[in-house]
């Protein structure tokens, strides 16, 4: 019997987002007012590079040991706030982020599912055109969505990023990304419940 893949915690998800998501900056703060800013070193607000933070999270595994490694006393779980550094990163709710870059808008979320599992779920999405997609592409009523899957085995997180070559299709891509995020969340919950020992 194979053991279920570990569910990523808040630290692992935050580390994956700030490391893999372009334009992301992470604010780690404590109830006592101490804080650490993680992001690109070109941003003067940042004191720790995302790659360094990822390595610390991998080595620590929990927030208390991470605090010790950072030189911050973390007696309680820290507040983790993903903000923007360069590109505009906005949390839309439900773990879905909008990243507005110079050339395109993309939508991203994380999941503890493998990239292969995510790819299977995405291929099963209803491909029939919606009303907004039909308006966005009058020629064939279709929608082109570019999907980038980045599986970070160390953190146990897969980053899913979706975009479209046409700016007019952004609302449709957001709807597709929200549906994909929901499907991944359901699959995560199903995996968790199936791995729970039955009572009795």
């Amino acid at each position: 019997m194979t053991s279920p893949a570990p569910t990523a915690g808040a630290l692992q998800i935050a580390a994956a987002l700030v490391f893999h998501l372009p334009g992301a900056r992470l604010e780690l703060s404590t109830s006592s007012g101490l804080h650490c800013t993680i992001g690109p070193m070109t941003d003067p607000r940042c004191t720790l590079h995302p790659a360094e933070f990822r390595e610390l999270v991998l080595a620590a595994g929990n927030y208390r040991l991470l605090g010790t490694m950072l030189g911050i006393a973390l007696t309680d779980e820290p507040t983790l706030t993903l903000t923007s550094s360069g590109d505009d990163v906005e949390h839309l709710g439900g773990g879905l982020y909008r990243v507005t870059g110079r050339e395109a808008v993309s939508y991203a979320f994380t999941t503890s599912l493998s990239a292969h599992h995510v790819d299977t779920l995405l291929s099963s999405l209803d491909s029939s055109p919606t009303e907004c997609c039909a308006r966005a592409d009058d020629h064939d009523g279709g929608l082109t969505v570019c999907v980038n899957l980045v599986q970070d085995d160390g953190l146990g997180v897969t980053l899913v990023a979706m975009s479209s070559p046409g700016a007019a299709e952004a609302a449709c891509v957001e709807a597709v990304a929200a549906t994909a995020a929901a499907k991944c969340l359901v699959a995560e919950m199903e995996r968790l419940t199936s791995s729970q020992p039955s009572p009795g």
Side-chain angles (χ1 to χ4, degrees):
M1 182 172 128
T2 59
S3 59
T7 301
L11 278 177
Q12 288 76 17
I13 291 171
L17 283 168
V18 75
F19 182 72
H20 295 292
L21 195 61
R25 180 167 53 94
L26 181 69
E27 298 283 350
L28 182 151
S29 56
T30 69
S31 55
S32 61
L34 298 171
H35 73 278
C36 177
T37 305
I38 300 101
M41 292 294 96
T42 52
D43 186 335
R45 297 168 290 190
C46 299
T47 55
L48 190 65
H49 191 274
E52 295 172 304
F53 182 69
R54 179 184 178 277
E55 291 302 315
L56 288 173
V57 170
L58 286 173
N62 62 62
Y63 69 87
R64 289 181 194 272
L65 185 52
L66 176 66
T68 302
M69 297 170 89
L70 289 172
I72 300 174
L74 294 179
T75 54
D76 298 315
E77 194 164 348
T79 301
L80 302 167
T81 307
L82 195 71
T83 58
S84 176
S85 181
D87 291 348
D88 184 27
V89 179
E90 179 185 0
H91 186 227
L92 302 177
L96 183 64
Y97 294 86
R98 179 192 294 124
V99 183
T100 307
R102 292 180 195 148
E103 298 179 4
V105 175
S106 61
Y107 298 87
F109 63 91
T110 59
T111 177
S112 60
L113 302 175
S114 69
H116 176 72
H117 195 161
V118 174
D119 189 44
T120 302
L121 286 173
L122 293 181
S123 65
S124 70
L125 285 177
D126 183 6
S127 59
S128 62
T130 63
E131 184 181 335
C132 74
C133 296
R135 285 197 310 269
D137 188 351
D138 292 332
H139 298 292
D140 59 12
L143 173 68
T144 301
V145 179
C146 303
V147 180
N148 187 26
L149 303 176
V150 181
Q151 182 170 315
D152 191 320
D153 290 326
L155 294 170
V157 174
T158 297
L159 178 77
V160 183
M162 298 182 168
S163 62
S164 176
E169 298 174 340
C172 292
V173 176
E174 180 178 342
V176 171
T179 301
K183 276 190 169 283
C184 287
L185 182 58
V186 168
E188 287 179 19
M189 294 300 105
E190 288 173 348
R191 185 182 66 187
L192 280 176
T193 54
S194 67
S195 67
Q196 298 290 332
S198 55

